[in-house]
Each structure stands twice: as structure tokens, then as C-alpha cells.
């Protein structure tokens, strides 16, 4: 395989700026999230067309639980709607759904819906959509450390065997290749507790637009930026 595949195998996105998008239009924040869900649909299709194998979306962070209850509720309703509407589409398009994060914190109904689609699409092979829900990288890393420590204390794991690969196999992303490209919208230059272990070598592309304005063409532009960086690197 070419050392720098033209198309990133895994794209991870921090979808930021829904609130600002709504504010600029004098709309309630939930309208920004609703428009953001539309952008999700478009970007998922664009990734499939491009031949991206994995798309991971930061849909709800562990910190987002501290937003006003009405906003949390609106986000969960949007997520439910997205899952209900997309279930058939994911099936038809041969897309597998996975989720990372503290899923037991989700409302029971949302969790059940999520689990059923994950099970139903488990055998799909064209692409994988990973939703980060109630996700926080530090929590994920701490949880991996705890399970390794538990195995070591039980005598089933030799501490000398703990290396990067073993550690990664205890993360929720076990089996998923690390992201090649991390995109963040709305111009913010922060990682916000997203995939801190996994993005060690990812190219980071910051896009000024708010997430609801992010379109097919913006994804292509981010991939072109990624390709440009790789061409330069390859020429050294
Ligand atoms: C950041 O904007 C976005 C979120 C907290 C949630 C992202 C959710 C969606 C795009 C819709 C639902 C998801 C799916 C998968 C259907 P912000 O509210 O932090 O914006 P701000 O920084 O401008 O306030």
C-alpha cells in the first residue's frame, strides 16, 4: 500500500458552531442543532462517495450534559430522529453504525434504538459511522487504565506486557484505525476532550464555517488540504 493513501481512511469531526449559527439568524439554539443534523446527513453521504472507511462524529460530549435541560432534551430528540430516519438508509447503503462514549448515560429509549441499529448493521462493510455520544477522551483513557489494572491485579495480565497496542485494545475504539484527518468547524483551535489518544498523528484541519453550513464541498476541501500536506511531506 502507498504510505500516504490519497483518501483518508478515517475522518473524525468536531461539529462546532450550531449555537452561533442559530444566534446569527435570531433562532433558538435547537434550530442550529436541527440544521447541524442536516449537515451530518450530507457529510455522511460525501464520505461514502469518497471511499472513506470510517467517519467519527462528536455528537455529544460528556461535558454537554451540563447544558440547560431543554437543550440536552432537544439534542436527544434530534439524535432519536436521526437514528430512526437513518436506520433503513444505513442498511441500504451497507453502512455499519458504532458508538463510543458512556452510552449508559443516554436515555433508555435512545440507548435501545442505538443498540438495535448497531446490531442490525453489524455485518455491513461499505463504511463505518461512529457516533461519539456522552463521550470524553479522558474518561475513555481512565476506563482503559482501570480495566488493565484490574486484569493485572487479578494476575491475568503481566504489567510488562502493557504497551501502546495493548492499551489501545482496551479503548472503546479497539479495532478502529486511528483518524488520519481531524476536522473542527467554527474556527476554534481546541481538541475538547475528543479522541486524545487516537489523534496522535492526525492532520488537523480547522474550518471557519459553523457546522450547519458545512457542506459536501467543504468536506472535499478538507480532504484536499490533507492531501496537500501529505504531498509536501512525501517530497521531503
Ligand atoms: C456544537 O455546537 C454541537 C453540538 C454540541 C452537538 C452536535 C449535534 C448535532 C450536529 C446534531 C445531532 C447529531 C446527530 C448525529 C444527528 P455548539 O452548540 O457548541 O455551538 P456554539 O459553540 O456555537 O454554541
Amino acid at each position: 500500500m502507498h504510505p500516504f493513501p490519497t483518501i483518508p481512511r478515517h475522518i473524525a469531526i468536531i461539529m462546532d458552531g450550531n449555537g452561533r449559527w442559530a444566534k446569527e439568524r435570531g433562532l433558538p439554539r435547537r434550530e442550529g442543532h436541527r440544521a447541524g443534523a442536516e449537515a451530518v446527513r450530507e457529510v455522511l453521504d460525501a464520505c461514502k462517495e469518497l471511499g472513506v472507511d470510517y467517519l467519527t462524529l462528536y455528537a455529544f460530549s460528556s461535558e454537554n450534559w451540563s447544558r440547560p435541560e431543554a437543550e440536552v432534551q432537544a439534542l436527544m430528540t434530534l439524535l432519536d430522529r436521526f437514528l430512526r430516519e437513518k436506520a433503513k438508509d444505513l442498511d441500504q447503503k451497507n453502512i455499519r453504525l458504532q458508538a463510543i462514549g458512556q452510552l449508559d448515560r443516554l436515555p433508555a429509549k435512545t440507548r435501545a434504538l442505538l443498540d438495535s441499529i448497531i446490531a442490525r448493521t453489524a455485518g455491513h462493510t461499505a463504511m463505518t459511522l461512529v457516533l461519539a455520544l456522552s463521550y470524553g477522551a479522558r474518561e475513555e483513557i481512565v476506563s482503559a487504565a482501570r480495566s488493565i489494572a484490574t486484569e493485572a491485579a487479578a494476575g491475568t495480565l503481566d504489567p510488562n506486557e502493557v504497551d501502546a497496542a495493548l492499551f489501545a485494545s482496551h479503548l472503546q475504539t479497539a479495532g478502529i484505525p486511528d483518524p488520519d484527518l481531524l476536522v473542527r468547524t467554527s474556527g476554534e483551535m481546541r481538541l475538547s476532550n475528543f479522541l486524545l489518544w487516537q489523534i496522535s498523528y492526525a492532520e488537523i484541519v480547522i474550518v471557519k464555517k459553523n457546522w450547519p453550513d458545512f457542506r459536501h464541498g467543504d468536506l472535499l476541501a478538507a480532504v484536499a488540504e490533507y492531501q496537500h500536506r501529505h504531498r509536501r511531506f512525501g517530497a521531503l
Side-chain angles (χ1 to χ4, degrees):
M1 196 177 77
H2 189 280
F4 303 117
T6 317
I7 298 298
R9 187 166 178 216
H10 183 172
I11 300 179
I13 306 184
I14 301 175
M15 309 182 287
D16 194 16
N18 292 350
R20 274 160 286 172
W21 183 92
K23 197 173 177 198
E24 282 166 13
R25 287 159 182 78
L27 296 168
R29 290 178 60 85
R30 65 169 186 280
E31 286 303 311
H33 297 313
R34 195 194 49 73
E38 286 306 317
V40 167
R41 291 175 176 87
E42 183 162 332
V43 166
L44 175 63
D45 287 343
C47 284
K48 171 113 191 309
E49 277 170 34
L50 275 178
V52 170
D53 288 337
Y54 293 85
L55 171 66
T56 300
L57 299 173
Y58 205 2
F60 196 88
S61 75
S62 42
E63 289 80 15
N64 286 155
W65 290 115
S66 57
R67 291 195 177 190
E69 205 185 315
E71 183 167 347
V72 171
Q73 179 67 46
L75 280 164
M76 290 302 144
T77 303
L78 271 174
L79 178 63
D80 278 357
R81 186 180 306 159
F82 175 83
L83 291 171
R84 267 186 275 110
E85 285 173 10
K86 273 281 158 193
K88 205 195 261 176
D89 195 41
L90 294 176
D91 245 352
Q92 280 166 357
K93 292 179 175 159
N94 194 21
I95 299 173
R96 174 171 63 160
L97 180 69
Q98 293 191 338
I100 55 172
Q102 295 174 322
L103 305 180
D104 52 355
R105 294 186 72 186
L106 296 173
K109 189 177 73 151
T110 308
R111 176 74 198 272
L113 188 57
L114 186 67
D115 284 347
S116 75
I117 302 174
I118 289 172
R120 173 168 157 187
T121 62
H124 290 351
T125 53
M127 190 188 154
T128 302
L129 169 65
V130 183
L131 294 180
L133 296 166
S134 187
Y135 176 83
R138 285 188 173 178
E139 290 88 332
E140 182 191 26
I141 291 167
V142 166
S143 171
R146 193 182 299 119
S147 78
I148 290 169
T150 303
E151 287 178 36
T156 54
L157 175 69
D158 175 357
N160 291 312
E161 280 171 23
V162 180
D163 59 10
L166 182 130
F167 198 91
S169 76
H170 283 74
L171 294 169
Q172 286 193 296
T173 50
I176 298 175
D178 287 343
D180 306 292
L181 169 61
L182 173 72
V183 176
R184 181 169 188 150
T185 57
S186 91
E188 305 286 348
M189 310 278 259
R190 281 192 301 279
L191 296 174
S192 301
N193 204 17
F194 187 46
L195 299 176
L196 297 182
W197 172 281
Q198 297 86 344
I199 57 168
S200 295
Y201 297 99
E203 293 293 335
I204 302 178
V205 171
I206 305 291
V207 178
K208 287 234 166 65
K209 283 185 182 180
N210 290 321
W211 174 252
D213 287 330
F214 194 87
R215 290 282 160 261
H216 191 273
D218 299 303
L219 183 83
L220 295 187
V223 169
E225 167 76 24
Y226 165 86
Q227 291 170 329
H228 174 67
R229 290 189 203 172
H230 277 308
R231 276 203 299 271
R232 265 199 331 232
F233 187 75
L236 285 179

